[in-house]
Every structure is written in C-alpha cells, then in structure tokens.
Amino acid sequence: MAEQQNKKRIFSGIQPSGDIHLGNWLGAIKNWVALQDAYICVYCVVDYHAITIPSQAAELHTRIHNACLDLLACGIDPEKSKLVVQSHVPQHTELAWILACFTSLGDLERMTQFKDKAAQHAQYVSAGLFTYPILQAADIAIYRADAIPVGEDQLQHLELAREIVRRFNNRVGRDILPEAKDIVTKGARVMGLDGASKMSKSKNNYIGITEEKDAIWAKLAPAKTDERRKRKSDPGNPEDCTLWSYHTLFTESEADRDWVRAGCVSAGIGCVECKRCLLENIDRALSPIRERRREYAADPARVEAIIREAAAWCRDEAEITMRDVRAALGVRA
Ligand code: TYM
C-alpha cells in the first residue's frame, strides 16, 4: 500500500474513432503496457473527444466497447491499471469548462491538429473541435498525473496543457494542478500504408491491431513501395519505402532484415517477397493480441466489471481534485 502511494501517476487516452492501429500500438500503447508496474496508470477511452466530429450513437457505442477490448487485448492489465471511459467520470468535462476560462483563443488557433481536422471537416467545424485541447488538459489534470506517454503527434497539445495549468495555478495563487511531462516513444511516428502521411484512422491508411492475416495481406499487397521499383529487376532504396520502416519495427531477425535490405538494393528479391516476409512478422506480433481479444470478447460481463470498477476509482480521485479546484475559485465550497 505504501509502495502504491509513492508511485507516480500516468495518464493517457485514445479516441474510439475506429480500429486501433499499428501507429497507436507502437507509438503509445506498447509503452502504456510497459509502464504499468512502475506507475499508477489511468488509461482512458476518450469518447467525448470523439464527438467533436459528427458521430452516430450506435456506432460510437460499439467503438467504445471495441476500444476497451483492444486495449485489454494489447496487455492493459486491469489488476495493475485503470481502464476508464471518459464519459463515466463527469469531472473531466466540469474541469474542462473551468480550464476553458484560463485558455486564450490564440493558443487554440495555433494547434496544428485543429487546423488539419477543421480542413477535413470543413462543412461544419464545431466549437468542440476547437476546444478539444482543453478537454485533453482536463483529462490529465483531473488525476494529477505526473507523466503522459504519447506518440509525437500529441506534443503540441501537451505543451498547451502545461501552459493552461500554469495559468490556472498562477491566477489562483496556489500550485493545485501539476504540470505533467510527456513520455514520447522515440522514432515511433508510424507512417500510413499510403506512404504520404502518418498512419491514422481518419485517413484509412492503417493496419488494425486485431486484423487477421488475410486482411493484413489485402492491405500490404497493393501498398506503395519505393517508386524506383517499377519492375522486379529495378533496384530500390529501403530508406524510401514505408514497408521497410515497418520491417525495422516488426522484423526482429537481423538475418531477415539483411535479406530484405540486400535483396531490395540489388533487385535480388521483388516487393512481393519483401511484403510476404513482413506479413509473417506482423502476423506473429499481432497473434497474441488477437488471442487475448477473443478471450475478453467472450466474457462481456468481465469487461463491463473492469470498466465499472475503474470508473468508480476514477470518480473518487477526480472529485479530490475538483474539491480543491472549486475551493480555489470560490465556488461550491
Ligand atoms: P489518438 O486517439 O489519435 O491516438 C492515441 C495514441 O496513439 C498515438 N498515435 C501514433 N503514434 C505513432 N504513429 C502514429 N501514426 C500514431 N497515430 C496515433 C498518439 O500519439 C496517441 O498517443 N488527443 C489524443 C487523445 C487524448 C489524450 C488525452 C492523450 C485525449 N486526452 C490526454 C493523452 C493525454 C488523441 O487523439 O489520440
């Protein structure tokens, strides 16, 4: 118990906006799993963030459930960590309103993710999409988290989250909310199968972590490789090929990697052989995840109990923070 109290806190979140993919896994979730012993961890399916763009109730409901299953399948261990759904803890949105009053429009306008998403959904840009980073700041602050494991694309939001709590603390004259540092997975900005942008749910350029081997092959087979390799006899450069970047992440055997690299630069092997080798290695890495997912999916009552229990713990923790925050503001003492 004493050991538990001395542990620092981790928070991180993922949107239930589609299948969890290799980018999420390698950029964030693998790290979440690795940190479970050393920290008190809260991992959150951020469903209120997902409604910042248009969504359908039935579909979102399924996606929230699937995201929970996927995270458990990846190795989030309910004995060690809290797996919580954001909307189950209303204090997230209460704190978000308060922090909105400590955030400037200029800060929000600078966010590159807002600019990208606003361009993607140009026909209707909600105020929720604009204030998204404030809810993210609240997610972190509500648990008084010390550190946030994320992929590189979240760094700007985390920098702003620190700025917001700094401003809040300054104005109320007390350090009530901690500034959480980021833990970034080095080099893990996983590119999408199109080779043009980062792997993402919205761009449909991803491999899902629970996809079966056939489905993975259906995506790998047509994937773009080094453009110089128009024919099998054309040599290529692995550094210009997205699939090589996947080999560096999934092909553990140095001999296999050497075979692919040498075969590519000498045109000794074709892209299909390179992709077949990659398929085997991705499939091997994902197979325990699929297996664990099947086990959890077969026991919905267990999953439900895990989520419910985590939410109760999280609400208590969040309320501790909110009592201090409300008192500091002079409301609802
Ligand atoms: P989201 O749902 O887009 O992604 C979840 C995590 O996956 C990482 N990630 C990637 N890493 C490497 N390569 C990629 N191609 C790639 N795609 C996604 C993300 O960096 C992230 O760590 N705003 C957040 C969710 C959030 C949150 C929070 C995160 C809400 N509140 C508080 C941290 C703390 C998001 O949209 O993540």
Side-chain angles (χ1 to χ4, degrees), residues 11-17 20-29 32 44-46 49 86 92 113 117 132-133 135-140 147-155 157-158 161 183 185 187-192 197-201 205:
F11 177 91
S12 204
I14 187 161
Q15 291 199 62
S17 47
I20 290 184
H21 54 66
L22 298 184
N24 301 130
W25 187 47
L26 296 163
I29 301 167
W32 298 6
C44 188
V45 174
V46 292
H49 276 110
Q86 189 184 37
H92 284 244
Q113 193 165 308
K117 285 266 165 78
Y132 178 116
L135 181 55
Q136 183 157 349
D139 294 339
I140 300 164
I148 322 293
V150 285
E152 284 175 17
D153 61 344
Q154 294 301 309
L155 288 182
H157 282 173
L158 297 192
I183 303 179
T185 313
R189 181 178 186 270
V190 181
M191 289 302 285
S197 48
K198 70 160 193 173
M199 186 172 283
S200 96
K201 292 161 238 184
N205 62 0

Side-chain angles (χ1 to χ4, degrees), residues 65 72 78 83 299-312:
H65 181 69
L72 291 167
L83 175 60
D299 195 351
R302 182 175 169 213
V303 176
E304 175 74 35
I306 290 168
I307 308 297
R308 208 175 329 115
E309 221 174 274

